[in-house]
Amino acid sequence: MNTEILLNVTPTETRMGLVENGVLQEVNIERSNRRGIVGNIYIGKVVRVLPGMQAAFVEVGLERAAFIHAADVQTPLKDSEAARRQPDAINSLLHEGQSIVVQVTKDPIGTKGARLTMHLSIPSRYLVFMPYTQHVGISQRIEVESERDRLRELVQTCMEVEGLNDECGFILRTAAEGAGEDEILLDTRYLQRVWNKVKERMKTVLAPGLIYEELPLHLRTFRDFIRPEIDKVLIDSRENFQKAQEFSESFVPEVTDKLEYYPGERPIFDLYGVEDEIQKALERKVQLKSGGYLIIDQTEAMTTVDVNTGGFVGHRNLEETIFKTNLEAATVIGRQLRLRNLGGIIILDFIDMEDTEHQRQVLRMLEKVLEKDHAKTKISQVSELGLVEMTRKRTRESLGQMLCEPCPHCDGRGEIKTAETVCYEIFRELLRDARAYDAKAYLVLASQSVIDLLLDEESQSLADLENFIDKSIKLQVDPMYSQEQYDLILQ
């Protein structure tokens, strides 16, 4: 499999695309005026404690106060896992006006503020450093038990060499598989240097204030997305290419040879067809090669994916047609979730399958596709209603939320009232006004489509209304009005 990472860097925006065999699998966008803050460490001030919600609001210098749950409050005198399962009452842990050191685990999304934790963690290439947790963990994606034991011993050896006390811990990331002692030791030392700087700033920065800022996207890509199977990393900015070279030589030396500067006149995202894929990822409908299609709807509560056979009629029988459509849909759904960065609760409405073996194979295909997903996912079995429920960890806005805003005409509903509906609303409003006010005449301001309908199909109804209220009704088009907007002016 040919896997490439494309980095399109401009002064206002950085975009990363992960392309496998010429097909875009993942896209990440960071804008300079609205950078994501996941991973940032702040010193914040508790502004409100909510015992009824076991949570508190913390001011960290953002537009909206951030949110911390009792389970995410650091309790050094207790075992952290037990404390998270059964946290103490929030008002015994925090009080208003208190200064605390917190880390952002989820960006502000919509009307919700950022999600915080006091269980700090600082990632590097192979390790995640946890200053307050006495634990050495290993990524679940490293499955070979002998390799897990080797890495655990390696980290413990490095901790002894560096003289690290028992009040800190590490998690070995998936990228650590096969790493040697020198590489782990270098990461351990790097994380210690970062943590020492964080501790120094804790003493000097006043609340609310920023203590540690996460790396920008073009450098974070090297730490989080580079894997052995990556064949090439292309950057279209010479200045950032040089910065990336320096960073990779220091922290990811095995990638330096794969790093290339792209000087071409044609934009790099156009060359690989990424721009077209981003546009398609903003649409509700996703076509399947077989002729079927998906309908993806994202709401505040959850995301729903509906699978339809469309124009696919199959070759053998109905059950086989449904199975093949669902199998292809499972593959495409896995890619679309990554590409659109859809998180939270996701309901998959596959076409009903009678054969339990077909159900099992479709679920297995979905699980296989999601194995490549860096976000944590959990999938349920097929329910009695034929639905598959799943969750995908959400840490930042989806692609649609980042690039789009609610339609000003329909206010995000996805529908607007028909011209006929608006006409009848105008008739009712005219009747109310005729009873309430003594006007000589009325002027109706509305959109072109509504006025056209009033002058054509509804002209007789309008004439009957004029006779009924014994008042003249004039019509005028306002090109600035949407189809739902209208005004009645008394003359």
Side-chain angles (χ1 to χ4, degrees), residues 249-265:
E249 286 168 2
S250 300
F251 301 108
V252 203
E254 68 271 21
V255 181
T256 307
D257 293 339
K258 300 177 180 180
L259 192 58
E260 292 183 19
Y261 168 60
Y262 173 76
E265 291 183 6

Side-chain angles (χ1 to χ4, degrees), residues 15 58 64 108 164 247 249 278 288 311 338 414 421 474 476:
R15 301 187 298 172
V58 182
R64 289 189 297 273
L164 298 179
F247 182 85
E249 286 168 2
I278 291 175
L288 303 178
R338 290 174 67 193
T421 300
K474 300 175 185 176
Q476 183 177 320

Side-chain angles (χ1 to χ4, degrees), residues 288-302:
L288 303 178
K289 289 183 180 178
S290 63
Y293 62 90
L294 310 177
I295 296 293
I296 302 176
D297 285 313
Q298 185 182 5
T299 67
E300 190 168 343
M302 67 181 72

